[in-house]
């Protein structure tokens, strides 16, 4: 069973998917939508849910460094509820520092700033999903 990983932002959503064994995450896409138009994001996400026959989603939960859930976290919690209405099993996963880690990996691979901007959300989604997969195996 494949699992989808999501890094939800205000205008983009990084998408990653696991292999069939649930061991390795890989990047899939960056969904772009008008600011705070999460219904558009959901509509675009349906394509990947169908393509990979997804039943479980790991959604990044942004938290402040002290562990508090702020506005972005509340948006992710609301998005989780919308996904659950589509009969998805959704796990919220602490995503603190995943974008920082993804950026470091891309910089160390000498990826240009322009290219990093295009793939950073996908890489953050990979980090979120891979951390979840590692915790399960």
């Amino acid at each position: 069973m494949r699992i989808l990983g999501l890094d939800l932002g205000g205008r983009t959503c990084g998408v990653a998917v696991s292999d069939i064994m649930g061991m390795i995450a890989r990047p899939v896409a960056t969904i772009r939508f008008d600011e705070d138009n999460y219904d558009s994001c959901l509509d675009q996400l349906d394509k990947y849910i169908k393509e990979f026959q997804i039943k479980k989603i790991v959604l990044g939960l942004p938290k402040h460094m002290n562990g508090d859930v702020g506005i972005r976290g509340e948006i992710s919690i609301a998005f989780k509820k919308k996904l659950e209405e589509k009969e998805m099993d959704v796990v919220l996963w602490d995503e603190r520092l995943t974008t920082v880690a993804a950026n470091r990996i891309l910089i160390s691979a000498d990826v240009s700033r322009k290219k990093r901007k295009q793939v950073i959300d996908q890489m953050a989604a990979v980090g979120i999903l891979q951390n979840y997969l590692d915790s399960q195996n």
Side-chain angles (χ1 to χ4, degrees):
M1 173 182 75
R2 293 184 189 270
I3 301 171
L4 216 57
L6 302 178
D7 178 42
L8 183 65
R11 289 186 295 247
T12 61
C13 181
V15 181
V17 69
S18 73
D19 64 333
I20 199 83
M21 300 292 292
M23 303 285 287
I24 300 171
R26 68 173 175 87
V28 172
T30 299
I31 294 173
R32 300 190 187 289
F33 51 93
D34 290 335
E35 190 166 0
D36 297 329
N37 186 351
Y38 299 104
D39 289 335
S40 171
C41 180
L42 274 172
D43 291 344
Q44 295 178 65
L45 198 54
D46 278 340
K47 169 186 171 184
Y48 303 107
I49 289 170
K50 289 177 184 145
E51 178 181 343
F52 297 112
Q53 300 175 341
I54 299 298
K55 300 287 182 225
K56 184 176 217 168
I57 295 175
V58 179
L59 174 61
L61 177 63
K63 291 182 175 182
H64 298 295
M65 291 311 290
N66 67 3
D68 290 348
V69 175
I71 293 168
R72 298 285 343 144
E74 294 296 334
I75 290 168
S76 289
I77 291 167
F79 196 74
K80 174 186 189 271
K81 291 176 183 166
K82 289 185 176 207
L83 288 167
E84 288 172 335
E85 290 170 7
K86 294 178 173 279
E87 314 257 327
M88 290 289 116
D89 176 15
V90 183
V91 175
L92 289 173
W93 195 258
D94 185 346
E95 69 168 47
R96 282 179 281 189
L97 300 179
T98 53
T99 301
V100 172
N103 208 27
R104 282 189 184 141
I105 290 167
L106 292 169
I107 288 170
S108 70
D110 204 25
V111 175
S112 71
R113 183 182 305 265
K114 183 178 179 183
K115 180 70 172 167
R116 281 197 314 263
K117 189 173 180 184
Q118 293 171 355
V119 299
I120 191 70
D121 298 309
Q122 290 176 44
M123 294 303 294
V126 167
I128 290 164
L129 181 55
Q130 191 64 57
N131 288 339
Y132 172 79
L133 296 173
D134 291 347
S135 78
Q136 302 300 300
N137 294 318

